[in-house]
């Protein structure tokens, strides 16, 4: 049974992984018609592309893919490869002359455990070409290849995880690339990855822009951009339950919500509950 993000019909995930240089890219492809999407960004230094388009008041409602990448800001190049893959297949926002793929992206800083290297446009293209509806593998794969936590003391490998939450016929999937400055805990309070050393924060040498957790949430229930933004905020709240401390002065956490709109309407309160459950499970899956 698929209990990952790709259990949401129409969503496909593909990875490009460079284990030698310890970086990678993950492409999340939407159905051809796209997904209604919005996002929430917390922390002072998120690295992103097309983020402004996701604000509820902006005219473009649908995106055609979402890209998570290593390589810090340089890794945003990978999104161009995903856009090219979609453009070649006629997938995109309709304009008078061509369909233009809308491909937001967000990156993590993974130079601490690998080389100063990043996925390029060709890496993004290959990740898109590899996308499938198969269950998303957890661990050091794709954008999670060089992810770490506990960097207030020393980096501890984490990775990428995905999970599903459901209530009856209502399903919500999540994918997380876990790269915070803090530690990762289970919902019951057990330390899963990191140090759990509060005293170490007194002498911590921290770098701004070197820590980010990326979240992608997929749902079938139809929602508008304003509702998607509220659900993205709910995803950030869930992150605070399993990453401690979260949303710090050194993190740039990003949460994206994508709705295929192919399912039945569901109460926003229920969707918020399932978003938080799926995010918690995805973060835990990343470090297990």
């Amino acid at each position: 049974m698929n209990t990952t993000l790709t259990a949401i019909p129409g969503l496909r995930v593909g990875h490009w992984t460079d284990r030698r240089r310890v970086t990678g890219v993950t492409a999340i492809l939407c159905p051809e018609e796209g997904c209604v999407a919005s996002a929430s960004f917390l922390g002072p230094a998120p690295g992103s592309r097309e983020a402004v388009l996701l604000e509820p008041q902006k005219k473009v409602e649908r995106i055609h893919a979402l890209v998570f990448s290593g390589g810090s800001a340089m890794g945003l190049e990978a999104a161009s490869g995903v856009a090219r893959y979609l453009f070649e297949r006629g997938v995109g926002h309709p304009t008078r002359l061509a369909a233009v793929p809308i491909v937001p992206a967000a990156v993590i800083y993974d130079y601490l455990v690998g080389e100063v290297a990043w996925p390029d446009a060709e890496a993004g293209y290959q990740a898109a070409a590899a996308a499938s509806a198969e269950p998303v593998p957890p661990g050091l794969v794709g954008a999670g290849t060089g992810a770490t936590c506990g960097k207030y003391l020393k980096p501890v490998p984490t990775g990428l995880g995905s999970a599903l939450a459901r209530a009856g016929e209502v399903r919500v999937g999540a994918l997380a690339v876990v790269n915070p400055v803090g530690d990762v805990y289970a919902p019951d309070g057990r330390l899963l990855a990191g140090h759990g050393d509060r005293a170490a924060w007194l002498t911590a040498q921290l770098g701004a822009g070197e820590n980010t957790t990326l979240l992608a949430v997929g749902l079938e229930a139809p929602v508008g951009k304003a509702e998607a933004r509220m659900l993205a905020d709910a995803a950030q709240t869930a992150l605070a339950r399993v990453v401690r401390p979260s949303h710090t002065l050194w993190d740039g956490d990003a949460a994206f919500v994508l709705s295929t709109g192919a399912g039945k309407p569901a109460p926003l309160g229920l969707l918020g509950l399932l978003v938080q459950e799926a995010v918690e499970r995805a973060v835990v899956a990343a470090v297990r």
Side-chain angles (χ1 to χ4, degrees), residues 36 38 56 221-233 257 266-268 271:
V36 173
S38 191
V223 298
K225 285 182 74 176
E227 294 172 318
R229 170 56 194 270
M230 288 187 282
L231 294 172
D233 289 337
V257 169
L268 194 60
L271 291 175

Side-chain angles (χ1 to χ4, degrees), residues 130-250:
S132 77
E134 292 298 311
V136 181
L140 301 177
V141 63
T145 303
T148 57
C149 71
K151 284 164 280 193
Y152 63 94
L153 195 55
K154 62 180 180 179
V156 174
T158 52
L160 177 150
S162 188
L164 188 73
R166 67 187 305 160
E169 297 182 356
V170 182
R171 299 183 295 180
V172 172
L175 182 149
V177 177
V178 182
N179 192 57
V181 68
D183 300 320
V184 180
Y185 289 81
D188 64 6
R190 290 177 294 115
L191 178 67
L192 297 178
H195 313 290
D197 187 348
R198 297 181 69 185
W201 285 87
L202 295 171
T203 56
Q205 301 295 316
L206 302 173
E210 296 180 0
N211 316 280
T212 300
T213 294
L214 308 178
L215 303 171
V217 175
L219 48 140
E220 301 163 282
V223 298
K225 285 182 74 176
E227 294 172 318
R229 170 56 194 270
M230 288 187 282
L231 294 172
D233 289 337
Q236 295 276 26
T237 301
L239 186 61
R241 298 176 183 170
V242 286
V243 174
R244 304 178 195 170
S246 64
H247 310 131
T248 72
L249 298 175
W250 303 277

Side-chain angles (χ1 to χ4, degrees), residues 40-49 51 72-73 76 105-108 208-214 236 250-256:
S40 172
F41 300 91
L42 293 180
S48 61
R49 158 183 156 145
S72 192
L76 291 171
V107 293
I108 67 168
E210 296 180 0
N211 316 280
T212 300
T213 294
L214 308 178
Q236 295 276 26
W250 303 277
D251 286 283
D253 301 319
F256 300 81

Side-chain angles (χ1 to χ4, degrees), residues 32-110:
E32 230 178 82
E33 64 274 16
C35 288
V36 173
S38 191
S40 172
F41 300 91
L42 293 180
S48 61
R49 158 183 156 145
E50 301 276 35
V52 172
L53 279 179
L54 298 174
E55 294 178 2
Q57 71 271 24
K58 300 304 180 184
K59 186 174 182 180
V60 174
E61 286 198 348
R62 293 180 178 269
I63 69 172
H64 303 95
L66 174 64
V67 176
F68 289 164
S69 178
S72 192
M74 299 297 291
L76 291 171
E77 179 184 351
S80 295
V82 177
R84 177 165 60 88
Y85 177 88
L86 295 173
F87 182 82
E88 291 174 355
R89 287 153 179 79
V91 175
H93 177 72
T95 72
R96 286 187 295 174
L97 298 180
V100 179
I102 306 300
V103 184
V107 293
I108 67 168
Y109 184 97
D110 53 4

